[in-house]
Each structure stands twice: as structure tokens, then as C-alpha cells.
Amino acid sequence: MSLDTSCKREDYLEWPDYFMAVAFLSAQRSKDPSSQVGACIVNQENKIVGIGYNGMPNGCDDDQLPWSRSADDRLDTKYPYVCHAELNAIMNKNSADVKGCTMYVALFPCNECAKLIIQAGLKEVIYICDKYHHTPEMTASRRLLHMAGVQFRYTTVCDVMSASLST
């Protein structure tokens, strides 16, 4: 069977799928045993201007901090220490700012990340999973994003990406 090289390929990734795949690829850098989240920030020219994943802050030895989701003492869990993918993507930006950009992220952002997204001037958040939808933090996040005029929308993805979020 010969390949027709006189026409362009038809089975290439569309921009949204490409950017979400980049977010998922960056999530693979996370050392978190239960949640690997990645974020990809894209400008109006479809150029990636920031990438991040969830992990401990720079300079903090992640072998000396807890990765547990639950413990008798909250200080023995990961939550007071981990930087979310959204924060890292904004902080790791490779442009002057991210105003007017779009963020692709695996999980719907929490209220703390919503504040960062708003303050950074992002215009849209595209996410795949909203498994914590009914928590107060996500309700606050949606309220903040809506009030600030930041668009947010769910998108579907291939089974490989969505399967990694089901755990």
C-alpha cells in the first residue's frame, strides 16, 4: 500500500487536543502518587507560553515532605505544601505576561488557582475533569471565574487521557 504524499495528512491533532496532550505530558513529571495534574497556557497565536505540573515548591526536598492525602494532622498531608499545576504554569511563563491567554488543564481549578488565573489575566480555562465539582472550593472557583469574566468549559479527550483521571 502506497502513501499519497500529494495531499496533507487528515489525522493530525487539532490545536485543543494538542494543547491538552501537552498538559497531560507535563503531568507525568509530577511525583504525586495519587494525582498527576498538568497545565498548558497558550496565547492567541497558538503558542505555548507556560507549562506546569503539581509538585513541591522549588528548593524544597520532596523526599522530606508528605505525599499522603489523609492523616490525623493536616501538616502530615501533601495539601499545605504542593503547588498546583496552574500556579506552576503561570510562574513558569516564558512571556511578559499571560493576559488574554487560554489554560488547558486536566482538573477544574480550585478556588486558590482561580484567584491566580484571574489575577494573571487569563481569559479561558479548558478542562477535562471536574471530579470535585460539589466541593465548596470548586463552587467558589466557579463563582470567582464567572464574576471575573473568565470563560471555563469542559472538553472531551481520548480515552488514554481520561483514564488517568479516574483514579
Side-chain angles (χ1 to χ4, degrees), residues 108-112 114 132-142:
F108 186 82
C110 71
N111 61 308
E112 294 299 321
Y132 302 111
H133 180 83
H134 296 294
T135 65
E137 293 81 7
M138 298 309 157
T139 300
S141 178
R142 286 189 301 279

Side-chain angles (χ1 to χ4, degrees), residues 55-140:
M56 299 301 177
N58 292 336
C60 296
D61 186 347
D62 54 29
D63 289 327
Q64 295 182 17
L65 292 169
W67 287 103
S68 176
R69 292 179 68 146
S70 62
D72 290 337
D73 184 346
R74 185 160 166 83
L75 290 175
D76 293 330
T77 70
K78 64 183 178 176
Y79 298 109
Y81 309 105
V82 168
C83 295
H84 287 184
E86 299 92 331
L87 174 137
N88 282 326
I90 291 168
M91 295 303 296
N92 293 337
K93 70 184 184 305
N94 61 12
S95 62
D97 61 48
V98 292
K99 284 183 179 17
C101 291
T102 298
M103 178 179 283
Y104 291 81
V105 64
L107 287 176
F108 186 82
C110 71
N111 61 308
E112 294 299 321
C113 290
K115 292 184 237 178
L116 291 166
I117 288 165
I118 293 164
Q119 293 298 87
L122 289 159
K123 69 167 183 153
E124 184 176 28
V125 175
I126 300 171
Y127 63 94
I128 292 174
C129 182
D130 193 7
K131 68 180 177 180
Y132 302 111
H133 180 83
H134 296 294
T135 65
E137 293 81 7
M138 298 309 157
T139 300

Side-chain angles (χ1 to χ4, degrees), residues 30-50:
S30 174
K31 296 177 184 177
D32 191 324
S34 58
S35 299
Q36 299 79 46
V37 180
C40 177
I41 301 174
V42 180
N43 70 14
Q44 299 85 341
E45 299 171 336
N46 286 328
K47 292 190 169 101
I48 295 172
V49 296

